[in-house]
Amino acid sequence: MNLKTINYNKANLEKGYTDRILHINLTDMEISVKEIPAETRKMFVGGRGYCLKLVYDGTTADTTYDSDENVLAFAGGPLCGESGFAGTGKFIIGSISPLTNTFCDSNVGGYFFPLVKQSGFDAISVTGKSDKDVAIVIDGDKCEISIENAPEIGNTLFEAEKLVEEKRGDSKPSNVSFVSSGIGGKNTNFGCINSVYFDVRRNRCRAKQAGRGGLGTVMNEKGLWGIIVKYDTSGGFSNKPADRKKLRNAGKELRNVISEVDPKSMRLRQQGTTSLLDMMNSNNLLPVNNYQYGTDSREKNVSGKIFEDKIFEQSKPDGCFAGCNLGCTKACEEHTLKTGPLSGKTIAVDGPEYETAAAVTNIGIFDIDTMLEYAWYCDEYGLDTISAGVVISFLIEAYERGFLTKEDTDGIELKWGSPETTMDLLHRMASGEKGFPSLAGQGIRYMKNWIAGRVSSRNGRVKEKVLEELSLFGMECKGLEFSMYITKESLAQQGGYGFALKGPQHDESWLIGIDQLNNEMPTFKQKAKALKWFPLFRTWFNIVGLCKLPWIDVRHPDAAKTDEPAKNLPTIDYYLDFINATLGTEKIEEDLLEDSERCYILHKLINIRQGYGTREHDIIPLRAMAPVFINEFESRKDYYYEYLKNETPNDIENKSDVELLKILQDYRIKQYDKLTDEVYREKGFDMNGIPTDETMIRLGFNNDEYMEIVRSARTNK
Ligand code: SF4
């Protein structure tokens, strides 16, 4: 049933923009279409920049994820939806997060936002709350927007085709796409949002996920089942660029590089991101047993090669949007579920991606069947595979080390390497079962506190002391669970996680490959500079609506001839052509960095305003810097002995392992602290992590409101 419908005049999509935003307030069922001011477009570009601006303007320091006024924002970017170039289906979803209490965003691919753009919108803002579940429907053909009762399909992904069939009318199924969460999004703090589209090659619906930060939880909190878009694409996808020929040429050149390089390097087209499993395992970077270890001989059972040969259907290309010949969105077409409410049903699994597979190895499980089961159910429930897996692995370690008892866990015996226990806990968390499962669904930051309280009442220990101990190996920073890389031996990646504004997620900074694997930034200064340049460049991809993989995971053969191969500058030239051909501009690399830096600073200002933007919030758990316990140290004893001999001034002869571990930990903590100073200087922050007046003025943030945020943070120090 339609609860509210409006018709709108569709704005032209010209040079990448429609300059229109769709506002929906679910409390009073208000729908409006507004023009995006030229100043907003100039300052914040699109994608993450628009999400940041919407959330900044719509919320206050007191807003929490469940406040009525919290904004759930969706935005593509000027390059999103252009099928003449690879990697253009990406869009951003952002909001005040239930995990971090400040702005968090996630990027995701698929056809949803390209269809929204063709329907006339650069962004969507959802505020307010409905007391019953509703869906927003954008019909770009009829120029009609409605708020309807939520669809009556049962399991979101299992029955996705049913919904597409119902909504498509006379149109092709691929002209319908939707975003929605699931029951896990309702019952935990780490709900994800699925971006669902109909894949004509596989003749079924597929899903990509905006996984991080609990955005699916916000969606559920608003009573929003999801947003459905329909648009007739018989005219194709184009952003009406200023110079179509130049765009097509740049797109062709990049596709040629991808075709030449990928089959000989990462094989993303054949293995998807599971190709990272071997690389991470052989370099001690694959999380095992809550990031204690970085390698395991059982990895051979779950290698990228096995996924390529035995699991992934290879006969069809797998781009998550038209025009991407890297095509990493692999899938297993037949998996029979063995657990949970749909046990016995045969389904198709999209992925698993590396992050999902590594979330499972981090629980000590090296079994592809469990990876498929875990991946599918997380998507179906609307759960972030990373946070869910890191919570489970933390709880197992807390149990093993005696912080948790069977009484605390309602009788669940937590153990490494158990598919049964893992899937059982996952199902119970997702369904919101009262007691331990629903508490676990609140995330690691919450659980550290809860466990510390239990230990304190049980043993009479000081709660704060127990909390400190749990924080050594409870892998969260700013409230967000770490993504799936062991960072102990890469100082640059420690910073990449610690300084990331949304929390430890690699999309802001993934330096582990170039720092630890290729040793392309050996000096301290180089690491600090990289920790400014890479986050800004990666942010640029998120503000314009692009996938980073064709840049970051496919190194141009000519990059080796440049001074800094890691930046992959020859490929960046294609992106410069792409943006300039779309907008009709003559931007150079510095302009892209500055566009990005303004968005970066706005994110920093929101963090400061919400109380999370200063130095203490950039501190990472000890386990991200060094082994915490003696078993971790002893698993790589020879390596650490050599390391200490070469890197530290200490006399290490005749020292016990316990003493050596302490020397190592102290050294690593000091290194991280020193790096923090250096990175803050590079970024134009003071030593408390607050942008200096000079930085604010340089980037155009010199109005009273913005300046007041940084000045009062300095006073409160
Ligand atoms: S590289 Fe993969 S994730 Fe990126 S656009 Fe292509 S298919 Fe999608």
Side-chain angles (χ1 to χ4, degrees):
M1 193 180 89
N2 279 12
L3 304 167
K4 174 86 185 251
T5 301
I6 67 149
N7 287 95
Y8 64 97
N9 293 322
K10 186 155 71 177
N12 283 336
L13 173 54
E14 222 25 78
K15 296 182 188 172
Y17 287 98
T18 66
D19 289 328
R20 294 292 182 282
I21 176 165
L22 171 61
H23 286 276
I24 312 263
N25 184 311
L26 292 173
T27 305
D28 46 22
M29 301 281 157
E30 233 180 53
I31 308 171
S32 59
V33 176
K34 292 192 181 134
E35 199 164 337
I36 296 174
E39 185 58 19
T40 299
R41 171 169 153 176
K42 192 168 156 227
M43 279 287 278
F44 303 112
V45 185
R48 180 188 282 172
Y50 280 6
C51 290
L52 282 160
K53 178 73 171 131
L54 285 164
V55 171
Y56 176 83
D57 286 346
T59 60
T60 69
D62 297 325
T63 302
T64 53
Y65 82 97
D66 53 355
S67 301
D68 222 60
E69 75 275 12
N70 190 16
V71 181
L72 183 62
F74 303 75
L79 305 186
C80 168
E82 170 58 64
S83 56
F85 208 90
T88 54
K90 293 279 180 170
F91 62 103
I92 295 286
I93 310 175
S95 193
I96 298 290
S97 152
L99 289 168
T100 67
N101 287 312
T102 181
F103 180 87
C104 193
D105 68 331
S106 220
N107 76 72
V108 58
Y111 283 70
F112 176 76
F113 218 87
L115 288 170
V116 170
K117 256 181 99 172
Q118 300 292 329
S119 300
F121 304 105
D122 287 345
I124 303 170
S125 153
V126 183
T127 54
K129 288 184 188 186
S130 165
D131 45 20
K132 58 180 172 187
D133 282 357
V134 294
I136 296 165
V137 182
I138 302 168
D139 188 325
D141 299 316
K142 289 191 195 155
C143 293
E144 185 182 280
I145 295 153
S146 16
I147 303 174
E148 300 179 352
N149 285 330
E152 282 180 6
I153 63 168
N155 304 90
T156 316
L157 299 185
F158 188 63
E159 300 192 322
E161 286 84 6
K162 230 189 206 175
L163 178 68
V164 168
E165 199 49 40
E166 189 188 300
K167 291 289 174 193
R168 78 184 176 92
D170 297 333
S171 190
K172 292 182 293 184
S174 54
N175 288 338
V176 177
S177 178
F178 66 90
V179 286
S180 74
S181 183
I183 188 178
K186 200 173 274 226
N187 293 320
T188 72
N189 276 344
F190 36 82
C192 76
I193 293 179
N194 286 297
S195 158
V196 182
Y197 60 96
F198 190 88
D199 183 338
V200 283
R201 295 185 181 114
R202 291 183 187 263
N203 197 33
R204 67 171 176 86
C205 281
R206 307 198 59 183
K208 301 284 285 181
Q209 290 72 37
R212 306 307 328 262
L215 302 169
T217 306
V218 177
M219 187 177 245
N220 273 291
E221 186 63 35
K222 293 198 167 299
L224 180 60
W225 174 91
I227 305 177
I228 304 162
V229 61
K230 174 179 166 284
Y231 180 79
D232 179 356
T233 56
S234 47
F237 286 95
S238 169
N239 283 328
K240 309 264 172 58
D243 186 341
R244 186 179 297 272
K245 192 166 164 219
K246 182 174 173 178
L247 187 154
R248 295 266 158 185
N249 282 344
K252 191 169 156 218
E253 300 253 351
L254 177 60
R255 276 199 295 277
N256 288 343
V257 171
I258 291 170
S259 300
E260 182 191 335
V261 175
D262 181 59
K264 294 181 280 189
S265 53
M266 288 188 66
R267 296 183 68 73
L268 289 169
R269 194 176 159 91
Q270 286 76 26
Q271 300 183 3
T273 51
T274 63
S275 68
L276 284 164
L277 285 162
D278 293 352
M279 196 192 299
M280 295 302 127
N281 189 58
S282 51
N283 289 285
N284 261 291
L285 294 166
L286 178 71
V288 179
N289 292 10
N290 195 31
Y291 305 85
Q292 292 183 79
Y293 314 112
T295 188
D296 194 296
S297 60
R298 293 170 293 170
E299 189 274 340
K300 65 178 182 305
N301 303 329
V302 296
S303 71
K305 187 80 177 88
I306 298 181
F307 277 101
E308 176 176 347
D309 293 343
K310 301 201 171 138
I311 306 296
F312 292 147
E313 156 72 60
Q314 295 292 353
S315 65
K316 304 185 179 74
D318 277 309
C320 73
F321 181 63
C324 184
N325 65 328
L326 193 48
C328 74
T329 305
K330 304 307 296 177
C332 164
E333 284 303 309
E334 275 192 18
H335 169 75
T336 302
L337 295 165
K338 289 164 197 66
T339 67
L342 292 168
S343 177
K345 302 268 186 216
T346 298
I347 43 83
V349 184
D350 288 321
E353 301 283 349
Y354 163 75
E355 300 290 333
T356 303
V360 174
T361 67
N362 203 23
I363 306 170
I365 299 170
F366 292 80
D367 154 36
I368 287 183
D369 241 36
T370 307
M371 287 174 177
L372 294 169
E373 187 103 356
Y374 177 84
W376 191 83
Y377 266 119
C378 280
D379 296 350
E380 170 66 22
Y381 288 144
L383 290 176
D384 174 19
T385 56
I386 298 175
S387 282
V390 179
V391 165
I392 293 171
S393 52
F394 166 67
L395 294 175
I396 296 174
E397 185 170 356
Y399 185 87
E400 188 185 50
R401 295 197 186 275
F403 291 94
L404 276 171
T405 65
K406 243 186 181 173
E407 201 188 320
D408 299 320
T409 64
D410 301 343
I412 304 171
E413 193 170 335
L414 294 166
K415 54 184 176 218
W416 302 118
S418 167
E420 297 74 25
T421 314
T422 298
M423 291 309 301
D424 182 50
L425 184 52
L426 188 81
H427 296 308
R428 291 160 80 170
M429 271 198 294
S431 66
E433 185 181 306
K434 278 204 167 43
F436 185 72
S438 76
L439 294 170
Q442 308 307 298
I444 287 189
R445 184 163 278 197
Y446 178 91
M447 284 311 278
K448 287 193 307 191
N449 258 297
W450 183 80
I451 298 168
R454 298 282 290 194
V455 172
S456 173
S457 4
R458 191 163 53 234
N459 300 344
R461 294 191 59 202
V462 178
K463 183 181 168 189
E464 285 66 33
K465 186 78 193 102
V466 183
L467 184 57
E468 259 173 45
E469 288 169 22
L470 291 163
S471 296
L472 300 174
F473 64 95
M475 297 300 281
E476 59 88 11
C477 175
K478 300 184 176 76
L480 186 72
E481 287 76 21
F482 273 63
S483 70
M484 307 316 299
Y485 301 95
I486 296 273
T487 56
K488 290 171 205 175
E489 308 313 314
S490 168
L491 182 59
Q493 188 57 40
Q494 290 165 28
Y497 274 149
F499 311 134
L501 296 175
K502 73 164 90 163
Q505 164 66 5
H506 54 281
D507 84 317
E508 184 172 313
S509 191
W510 192 83
L511 296 174
I512 207 154
I514 48 186
D515 182 39
Q516 192 178 331
L517 304 186
N518 301 346
N519 197 22
E520 289 174 315
M521 49 173 89
T523 70
F524 214 79
K525 191 79 188 162
Q526 283 169 320
K527 291 186 207 304
K529 279 192 176 301
L531 280 162
K532 178 172 183 188
W533 193 92
F534 281 93
L536 288 187
F537 221 89
R538 294 176 81 100
T539 296
W540 182 77
F541 280 75
N542 287 331
I543 63 179
V544 295
L546 284 180
C547 174
K548 300 170 203 75
L549 302 193
W551 163 57
I552 205 72
D553 283 343
V554 183
R555 195 171 286 186
H556 195 294
D558 293 343
K561 299 176 199 155
T562 63
D563 290 344
E564 294 176 279
K567 289 185 175 174
N568 202 8
L569 295 172
T571 291
I572 285 181
D573 286 342
Y574 303 141
Y575 287 106
L576 279 166
D577 279 354
F578 185 16
I579 188 100
N580 286 327
T582 302
L583 305 182
T585 51
E586 293 189 2
K587 286 175 185 275
I588 57 172
E589 183 195 319
E590 284 68 31
D591 297 321
L592 308 193
L593 290 169
E594 199 177 300
D595 285 346
S596 183
E597 197 171 4
R598 285 193 299 275
C599 301
Y600 193 84
I601 292 297
L602 184 60
H603 192 167
K604 184 74 175 171
L605 292 179
I606 298 176
N607 282 2
I608 295 171
R609 186 189 70 177
Q610 305 309 113
Y612 298 96
T614 45
R615 188 173 183 126
E616 71 269 31
H617 301 288
D618 287 348
I619 294 171
I620 51 178
L622 179 60
R623 178 160 291 157
M625 298 182 265
V628 173
F629 300 108
I630 200 70
N631 59 304
E632 293 164 72
F633 179 84
E634 288 180 340
S635 73
R636 299 195 72 193
K637 188 173 165 175
D638 293 346
Y639 165 81
Y640 284 124
Y641 192 83
E642 277 305 301
Y643 175 89
L644 288 169
K645 217 161 65 177
N646 297 329
E647 297 285 327
T648 71
N650 301 63
D651 173 15
I652 59 163
E653 295 303 327
N654 304 319
K655 292 269 194 306
S656 71
D657 285 357
V658 172
E659 289 168 320
L660 291 175
L661 174 58
K662 182 76 176 74
I663 292 170
L664 177 66
Q665 291 172 341
D666 290 347
Y667 177 72
R668 291 284 176 81
I669 291 168
K670 278 196 196 117
Q671 288 286 98
Y672 185 77
D673 206 41
K674 197 171 142 199
L675 181 74
T676 307
D677 289 350
E678 198 63 44
V679 171
Y680 285 176
R681 267 191 285 275
E682 280 293 331
K683 289 185 190 239
F685 298 169
D686 66 17
M687 288 303 107
N688 195 27
I690 300 167
T692 60
D693 282 2
E694 198 191 349
T695 303
M696 296 284 285
I697 293 163
R698 175 172 63 82
L699 294 164
F701 285 87
N702 45 337
N703 73 32
D704 289 347
E705 191 182 316
Y706 291 135
M707 287 305 246
E708 179 54 27
I709 293 174
V710 291
R711 287 185 178 146
S712 66
R714 286 185 205 129
T715 322
N716 292 340
K717 189 183 163 189

